[in-house]
């Protein structure tokens, strides 16, 4: 059966090609929520049926479950789409099936593609080459990787090797509005998801860190080293911490500065918004998620860590019982710089899309997303039924039903809106109020899509009007 499939591989791929092209060309017509579930099969057949027959079964049973999560009106979870170039790179990554690790020697040297892609990303974000980086599955693993190195730094400040000795008494963490993935990373690292000192946010409906309160809390530590987790775009309202002020604090105090810029980092692509990131080059580590605003398929994010911390990074991730590795800095291998020993060539979709569309292409994607968010913002501001929970600072619109008396109706409204299958948004709670968040990062989204979404919002309210 395997040999038969290989002999017919061209025909099989042609079927997949036609199905994939049809999906992408009609994605705006596919529902954004699955209408139903299907019964699952528990027993595997003794004899396989071959790829063509399996494709037919998949199309009959599971294709109806596949929603337009990468389509122009899927605005939940800050979900990007996939550019044509990114899909091409992703398909080739699957076909080639490389395990990128070393950049010299014998065997697989596909890691060179990853190294070049990181350099291209540094160029896109106008960041200096004082950073090194690598690809992981998403923002959670990117935060995990950076904070693992930060934890090792914190241990060394105490005279301990946490990677070898364990967490022990831990390291102080300060943050104002950390993303849930950063908090989850603290849990996985043994630091504790609740073990961080909460810094106040700025007044006036802000999520950004109050630097004055931060400095007060730093002074209370009496010189004890700590890790600072700051936000390059909060998840609800895309608020940015004042990186220039944090850089000045770093000149006076001893701390590891981490920036979670999962999607907000892409503001650097636009001359109109890059000022939001002024000073971020002073950070020790940065998280950026590619399957958001870079618009590549899922399982793509990268981390950046200053090269001066390479020894700490190797101490954190090197396989200490593998004598064949040699000096990890002289013989660079991603094996020693990130969590996974085995991984796919995740950099290839990013490389393809960066080379295909360049800096100008990503400036246009970012600015279009922000413009589309502003269209929805304008509707909400003029509506008698909705109200903003916070200003639309970049590409996320955070809103709710107008009136305190309608707070309990928000979950049902969102459920009914999503069930209609034309647009998808996610629930949130902001300043104690139940709300809805629409995140714009998809390169396909147009003014027509916003108009469709608005019409759907009005239609949900129509029966009770």
């Amino acid at each position: 059966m395997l040999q038969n499939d290989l002999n017919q591989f061209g025909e099989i791929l042609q079927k997949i090609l036609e199905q994939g092209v049809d999906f992408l060309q009609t994605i705006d017509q596919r529902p954004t929520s699955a209408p139903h579930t299907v019964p699952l099969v528990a027993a595997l057949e003794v004899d396989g049926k071959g790829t063509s027959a399996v494709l037919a079964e998949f199309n009959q049973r599971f294709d109806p479950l596949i929603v337009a999560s990468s389509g122009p009106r899927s605005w939940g979870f800050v979900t990007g789409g996939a550019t044509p170039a990114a899909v091409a790179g992703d398909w080739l990554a699957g076909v080639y099936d490389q395990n990128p690790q070393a950049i010299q020697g014998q065997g697989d040297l596909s890691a060179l593609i990853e190294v070049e892609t990181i350099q291209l990303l540094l160029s896109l974000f106008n960041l200096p080459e004082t950073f090194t980086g690598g690809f992981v599955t998403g923002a959670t693993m990117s935060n995990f990787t950076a904070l693992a190195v930060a934890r090792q730094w914190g241990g060394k400040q105490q005279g301990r090797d946490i990677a070898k000795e364990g967490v022990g008494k831990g390291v102080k963490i300060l943050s104002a509005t950390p993303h849930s993935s950063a908090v989850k990373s603290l849990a996985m690292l043994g630091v504790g998801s609740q073990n961080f000192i909460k810094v106040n946010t700025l007044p006036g409906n802000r999520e950004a860190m109050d630097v004055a309160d931060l400095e007060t809390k730093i002074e209370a530590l009496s010189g004890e080293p700590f890790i600072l987790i700051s936000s390059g775009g909060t998840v609800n309202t895309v608020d940015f911490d004042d990186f220039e002020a944090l850089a000045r604090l770093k000149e006076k105090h001893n701390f590891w500065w981490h920036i979670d810029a999962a999607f907000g980092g892409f503001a650097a692509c636009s001359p109109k918004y890059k000022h939001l990131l002024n000073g971020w080059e002073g950070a020790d580590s940065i998280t950026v998620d590619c399957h958001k605003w870079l618009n590549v398929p899922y399982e793509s994010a990268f981390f950046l860590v200053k090269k001066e911390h390479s020894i700490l990074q190797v101490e954190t991730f090197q396989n200490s019982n593998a004598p064949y590795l040699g000096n990890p800095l002289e013989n660079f291998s991603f094996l020693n710089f990130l969590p996974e020993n085995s991984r796919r060539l995740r950099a290839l979709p990013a490389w393809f899309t960066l080379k295909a569309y360049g800096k100008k292409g990503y400036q246009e994607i970012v600015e279009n997303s922000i413009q589309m968010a502003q269209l929805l913002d304008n509707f909400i501001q003029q509506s008698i039924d909705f109200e903003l929970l916070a200003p639309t600072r970049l590409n996320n619109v955070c809103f709710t039903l107008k009136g305190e008396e309608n707070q309990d109706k928000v979950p049902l409204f969102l459920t009914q809106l999503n069930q209609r299958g034309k647009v998808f948004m996610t629930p949130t709670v902001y300043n104690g109020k139940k709300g809805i968040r629409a995140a714009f990062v998809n390169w396909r989204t147009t003014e027509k899509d916003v108009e469709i979404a608005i019409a759907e919002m009005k239609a949900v309210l129509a029966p009770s009007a």
Side-chain angles (χ1 to χ4, degrees):
M1 192 65 76
L2 276 166
Q3 187 62 46
N4 187 55
D5 271 359
L6 183 59
N7 294 341
Q8 299 179 8
F9 201 45
E11 299 171 26
I12 292 169
L13 287 185
Q14 184 62 35
K15 292 178 184 178
I16 299 294
L17 170 64
E18 293 171 2
Q19 183 167 326
V21 169
D22 180 69
F23 174 83
L24 292 175
Q25 289 182 339
T26 61
I27 196 168
D28 59 329
Q29 302 166 30
R30 187 172 279 254
T32 51
S33 289
H36 53 75
T37 61
V38 296
L40 302 180
V41 174
L44 178 65
E45 298 95 331
V46 174
D47 296 315
K49 58 178 74 173
T51 304
S52 293
V54 170
L55 176 62
E57 179 183 343
F58 170 82
N59 288 337
Q60 189 271 321
R61 295 182 58 219
F62 289 123
D63 183 75
L65 294 179
I66 305 300
V67 300
S69 57
S70 57
R73 294 187 301 279
S74 187
W75 300 341
F77 309 113
V78 199
T79 304
T83 66
V87 172
D90 195 60
W91 282 22
L92 282 179
V95 171
Y96 291 150
D97 195 24
Q98 303 293 287
N99 180 20
Q101 302 291 0
I103 59 173
Q104 59 185 349
Q106 295 182 317
D108 180 354
L109 296 183
S110 63
L112 287 166
I113 299 170
E114 186 162 346
V115 172
E116 179 170 299
T117 306
I118 293 295
Q119 292 173 346
L120 297 177
L121 288 162
L122 289 173
S123 176
L124 178 70
F125 293 130
N126 198 30
L127 283 168
E129 293 187 3
T130 51
F131 287 98
T132 187
F135 274 78
V136 289
T137 54
T140 301
M141 285 309 298
S142 182
N143 278 323
F144 176 89
T145 303
L147 291 173
V149 185
R151 185 188 66 172
Q152 184 71 357
W153 172 88
K156 285 302 180 75
Q157 302 303 302
Q158 302 167 356
R160 299 186 299 122
D161 186 335
I162 289 179
K164 292 181 178 178
E165 301 169 19
V167 175
K169 67 177 183 178
V171 183
K172 291 289 194 304
I173 314 282
L174 276 69
S175 189
T177 317
H179 186 261
S180 59
S181 64
V183 176
K184 182 176 183 177
S185 295
L186 295 178
M188 293 191 293
L189 288 165
V191 175
S193 60
Q194 297 180 347
N195 190 25
F196 69 91
I197 299 168
K198 185 79 166 62
V199 179
N200 292 339
T201 54
L202 289 169
N205 202 358
R206 297 290 303 276
E207 288 187 299
M209 189 179 299
D210 184 334
V211 176
D213 183 62
L214 171 64
E215 193 153 18
T216 298
K217 288 181 166 62
I218 292 174
E219 296 292 347
L221 293 176
S222 302
E224 183 178 352
F226 65 94
I227 298 167
L228 178 69
I229 302 175
S230 60
S231 295
T234 56
V235 72
N236 273 328
T237 69
V238 203
D239 209 350
F240 287 75
D241 289 331
D242 185 342
F243 296 149
E244 290 178 311
L246 298 183
R248 289 192 293 270
L249 281 180
K250 193 161 169 51
E251 293 174 0
K252 299 192 297 181
H253 302 282
N254 185 25
F255 63 91
W256 180 286
W257 179 17
H258 175 65
I259 297 176
D260 185 344
F263 64 95
F266 286 90
C269 299
S270 169
K272 296 179 183 178
Y273 304 103
K274 65 180 183 180
H275 66 276
L276 295 168
L277 296 155
N278 285 351
W280 72 324
E281 66 277 2
D284 294 288
S285 58
I286 301 173
T287 283
V288 181
D289 203 341
C290 294
H291 57 239
K292 290 184 169 65
W293 230 336
L294 195 68
N295 280 251
V296 302
Y298 261 111
E299 287 207 19
S300 182
F302 67 96
F303 63 87
L304 298 172
V305 174
K306 282 280 177 66
K307 290 179 180 177
E308 65 190 74
H309 302 306
S310 291
I311 292 293
L312 295 173
Q313 200 167 346
V314 170
E315 288 175 350
T316 303
F317 295 115
Q318 182 181 21
N319 285 354
S320 59
N321 62 342
Y324 57 85
L325 291 173
N327 186 323
L329 291 178
E330 291 180 1
N331 304 290
F332 177 86
S333 172
F334 280 108
L335 184 74
N336 303 314
F337 283 83
L338 41 69
E340 301 146 311
N341 286 4
S342 302
R343 59 208 187 99
R344 77 195 303 263
L345 184 53
R346 293 194 191 96
L348 195 55
W351 184 88
F352 260 79
T353 197
L354 288 167
K355 298 288 283 187
Y357 310 117
K359 290 186 176 182
K360 186 176 180 181
Y362 277 94
Q363 176 184 338
E364 291 173 353
I365 289 173
V366 167
E367 292 180 354
N368 176 71
S369 295
I370 297 169
Q371 184 181 354
M372 295 305 103
Q374 200 57 55
L375 290 177
L376 182 60
D377 173 285
N378 292 342
F379 161 72
I380 290 169
Q381 290 202 57
Q382 297 168 18
S383 172
I384 61 172
D385 298 309
F386 303 97
E387 62 182 355
L388 291 173
L389 286 174
T392 301
R393 299 185 175 97
L394 205 67
N395 61 314
N396 282 6
V397 184
C398 191
F399 67 99
T400 191
L401 295 177
K402 183 172 286 188
E404 197 67 36
E405 69 279 6
N406 289 318
Q407 272 289 287
D408 289 340
K409 299 178 182 178
V410 174
L412 178 60
F413 167 82
L414 181 58
T415 297
Q416 292 177 338
L417 178 67
N418 287 339
Q419 280 178 340
R420 293 173 67 88
K422 292 292 183 66
V423 64
F424 185 79
M425 304 182 199
T426 42
T428 191
V429 175
Y430 184 76
N431 281 345
K433 282 192 170 184
K434 298 173 184 175
I436 299 165
R437 191 192 65 180
F440 292 79
V441 289
N442 194 299
W443 69 275
R444 292 173 172 269
T445 306
T446 65
E447 187 172 343
K448 180 182 177 182
D449 294 304
V450 178
E451 291 171 355
I452 291 171
I454 289 171
E456 290 294 295
M457 292 163 65
K458 291 178 177 178
V460 172
L461 292 177
S464 58

